Protein backbone atom coordinates (compact mmCIF):
# COMPACT_ATOMS: atom_id res chain seq x y z
CA UNK A 1 0.00 0.00 0.00
CA UNK A 2 1.31 3.45 -0.93
CA UNK A 3 1.51 6.17 1.65
CA UNK A 4 -0.44 9.33 0.93
CA UNK A 5 1.58 12.37 -0.07
CA UNK A 6 1.74 15.01 2.62
CA UNK A 7 -0.67 17.91 2.18
CA UNK A 8 0.98 21.31 2.25
CA UNK A 9 -0.98 24.45 3.01
CA UNK A 10 0.48 27.78 4.04
CA UNK A 11 -1.81 30.36 5.58
CA UNK A 12 -1.08 34.00 6.29
CA UNK A 13 -1.65 35.66 9.67
CA UNK A 14 -5.30 36.29 8.82
CA UNK A 15 -5.93 32.63 7.99
CA UNK A 16 -6.11 33.09 4.20
CA UNK A 17 -4.69 30.27 2.13
CA UNK A 18 -1.47 31.71 0.67
CA UNK A 19 0.01 28.59 -0.94
CA UNK A 20 -0.71 24.89 -1.32
CA UNK A 21 0.72 21.86 -3.02
CA UNK A 22 -0.49 21.06 -6.49
CA UNK A 23 0.20 19.99 -10.03
CA UNK A 24 1.10 22.66 -12.56
CA UNK A 25 1.38 21.98 -16.27
CA UNK A 26 3.41 24.55 -18.20
CA UNK A 27 4.12 24.92 -21.90
CA UNK A 28 6.82 27.24 -23.20
CA UNK A 29 6.49 27.94 -26.90
CA UNK A 30 8.96 29.76 -29.10
CA UNK A 31 6.18 30.82 -31.44
CA UNK A 32 4.45 34.08 -32.24
CA UNK A 33 1.35 34.55 -30.08
CA UNK A 34 -0.94 34.95 -33.10
CA UNK A 35 0.29 31.58 -34.39
CA UNK A 36 -0.71 29.67 -31.23
CA UNK A 37 -3.63 31.80 -29.96
CA UNK A 38 -6.44 29.75 -31.59
CA UNK A 39 -5.02 26.52 -30.11
CA UNK A 40 -4.66 28.14 -26.68
CA UNK A 41 -8.28 29.35 -26.83
CA UNK A 42 -9.41 25.80 -27.67
CA UNK A 43 -7.26 24.43 -24.83
CA UNK A 44 -8.87 26.87 -22.40
CA UNK A 45 -12.32 25.71 -23.55
CA UNK A 46 -11.34 22.08 -22.94
CA UNK A 47 -9.86 22.92 -19.55
CA UNK A 48 -13.17 24.56 -18.56
CA UNK A 49 -15.03 21.36 -19.49
CA UNK A 50 -12.95 19.14 -17.18
CA UNK A 51 -12.73 21.31 -14.07
CA UNK A 52 -15.73 21.85 -11.78
CA UNK A 53 -18.26 24.37 -13.17
CA UNK A 54 -17.74 28.04 -12.32
CA UNK A 55 -14.33 27.36 -10.81
CA UNK A 56 -12.46 30.14 -12.59
CA UNK A 57 -14.29 33.13 -11.14
CA UNK A 58 -11.73 35.95 -11.32
CA UNK A 59 -9.49 37.58 -13.90
CA UNK A 60 -7.04 40.44 -14.10
CA UNK A 61 -8.91 43.32 -15.75
CA UNK A 62 -7.48 45.91 -18.17
CA UNK A 63 -6.83 48.14 -15.15
CA UNK A 64 -4.73 45.41 -13.51
CA UNK A 65 -7.24 44.67 -10.73
CA UNK A 66 -8.82 41.33 -9.89
CA UNK A 67 -12.39 41.43 -11.21
CA UNK A 68 -15.27 38.93 -11.12
CA UNK A 69 -15.30 36.92 -14.33
CA UNK A 70 -18.54 37.75 -16.14
CA UNK A 71 -19.55 37.83 -19.82
CA UNK A 72 -17.69 41.11 -20.38
CA UNK A 73 -14.59 39.57 -18.81
CA UNK A 74 -14.81 36.52 -21.08
CA UNK A 75 -15.09 38.81 -24.11
CA UNK A 76 -12.01 40.76 -22.99
CA UNK A 77 -10.08 37.51 -22.53
CA UNK A 78 -11.12 36.27 -25.98
CA UNK A 79 -10.09 39.59 -27.56
CA UNK A 80 -6.74 39.68 -25.75
CA UNK A 81 -5.97 36.19 -26.89
CA UNK A 82 -7.25 36.20 -30.48
CA UNK A 83 -6.90 39.89 -31.41
CA UNK A 84 -4.65 41.62 -28.86
CA UNK A 85 -5.08 45.40 -28.74
CA UNK A 86 -1.33 46.12 -28.69
CA UNK A 87 1.96 44.60 -29.71
CA UNK A 88 4.59 43.48 -27.25
CA UNK A 89 3.66 41.45 -24.20
CA UNK A 90 0.31 40.72 -22.58
CA UNK A 91 -1.11 38.34 -20.02
CA UNK A 92 -4.33 36.52 -19.22
CA UNK A 93 -4.73 35.27 -15.66
CA UNK A 94 -7.82 33.39 -14.48
CA UNK A 95 -8.16 32.18 -10.91
CA UNK A 96 -10.53 30.60 -8.46
CA UNK A 97 -10.14 33.29 -5.80
CA UNK A 98 -9.06 36.94 -5.88
CA UNK A 99 -7.08 36.64 -2.66
CA UNK A 100 -6.32 33.00 -1.84
CA UNK A 101 -4.39 30.23 -3.55
CA UNK A 102 -7.09 28.21 -5.31
CA UNK A 103 -7.13 24.73 -6.73
CA UNK A 104 -7.58 25.82 -10.35
CA UNK A 105 -5.87 28.48 -12.38
CA UNK A 106 -5.09 29.36 -16.00
CA UNK A 107 -2.32 31.73 -17.09
CA UNK A 108 -1.24 32.83 -20.55
CA UNK A 109 1.66 35.13 -21.33
CA UNK A 110 2.16 36.19 -24.93
CA UNK A 111 5.33 37.89 -26.14
CA UNK A 112 6.30 38.93 -29.62
CA UNK A 113 9.36 37.05 -30.82
CA UNK A 114 11.00 40.19 -32.20
CA UNK A 115 10.41 42.26 -29.05
CA UNK A 116 13.77 43.84 -28.07
CA UNK A 117 12.79 44.06 -24.39
CA UNK A 118 13.08 40.31 -23.85
CA UNK A 119 16.29 38.33 -24.13
CA UNK A 120 14.43 35.06 -24.75
CA UNK A 121 10.87 35.92 -25.79
CA UNK A 122 8.45 33.04 -25.41
CA UNK A 123 4.76 32.43 -25.16
CA UNK A 124 3.75 30.39 -22.13
CA UNK A 125 0.62 28.68 -20.85
CA UNK A 126 0.29 27.42 -17.27
CA UNK A 127 -2.58 25.52 -15.68
CA UNK A 128 -3.00 24.30 -12.14
CA UNK A 129 -5.31 21.33 -12.22
CA UNK A 130 -5.79 20.23 -8.61
CA UNK A 131 -3.99 19.69 -5.38
CA UNK A 132 -3.72 16.77 -3.04
CA UNK A 133 -5.74 18.74 -0.48
CA UNK A 134 -8.62 19.10 -2.93
CA UNK A 135 -9.86 15.83 -4.42
CA UNK A 136 -10.03 15.63 -8.19
CA UNK A 137 -13.58 16.03 -9.47
CA UNK A 138 -15.32 12.71 -10.04
CA UNK A 139 -18.56 13.76 -11.70
CA UNK A 140 -17.93 15.89 -14.75
CA UNK A 141 -20.59 18.42 -15.51
CA UNK A 142 -20.54 20.99 -18.25
CA UNK A 143 -18.52 24.06 -17.39
CA UNK A 144 -19.53 27.54 -18.38
CA UNK A 145 -18.52 28.10 -21.98
CA UNK A 146 -17.68 31.71 -22.68
Amino acid sequence: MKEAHPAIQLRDKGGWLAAQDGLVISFYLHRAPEEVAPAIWRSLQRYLRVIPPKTLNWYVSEEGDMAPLDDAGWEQIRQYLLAPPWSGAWAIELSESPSEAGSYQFEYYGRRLEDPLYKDPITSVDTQVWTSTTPAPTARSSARNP
Side-chain angles (χ1 to χ4, degrees), residues 11-146:
R11 297 192 177 271
D12 69 6
K13 292 178 183 178
W16 292 92
L17 184 61
Q20 64 182 345
D21 55 327
L23 173 67
V24 176
I25 300 171
S26 299
F27 298 95
Y28 299 95
L29 312 163
H30 191 73
R31 296 278 185 257
E34 50 278 336
E35 182 182 339
V36 297
I40 295 193
W41 179 252
R42 288 190 307 274
S43 297
L44 175 56
Q45 300 306 305
R46 287 185 183 130
Y47 182 61
L48 291 171
R49 286 193 294 270
V50 299
I51 64 175
K54 301 187 187 261
T55 302
L56 297 177
N57 299 311
W58 297 87
Y59 77 109
V60 178
S61 70
E62 286 182 303
E63 294 79 30
D65 298 321
M66 292 300 290
L69 189 51
D70 56 10
D71 290 339
W74 278 116
E75 181 57 25
Q76 178 184 326
I77 290 162
R78 190 183 70 74
Q79 285 293 323
Y80 274 26
L81 187 57
L82 300 176
W86 59 83
S87 61
W90 61 95
I92 295 171
E93 298 178 15
L94 308 175
S95 63
E96 187 173 2
S97 169
S99 57
E100 287 189 292
S103 297
Y104 300 92
Q105 188 168 315
F106 180 91
E107 297 177 0
Y108 166 79
Y109 302 97
R111 295 182 183 163
R112 298 255 183 250
L113 297 178
E114 68 279 358
D115 194 324
L117 295 176
Y118 299 102
K119 180 181 173 188
D120 296 314
I122 57 164
T123 294
S124 67
V125 180
D126 305 307
T127 58
Q128 179 177 342
V129 286
W130 65 75
T131 67
S132 63
T133 56
T134 304
T138 55
R140 305 276 188 220
S141 55
S142 63
R144 179 177 187 270
N145 285 324

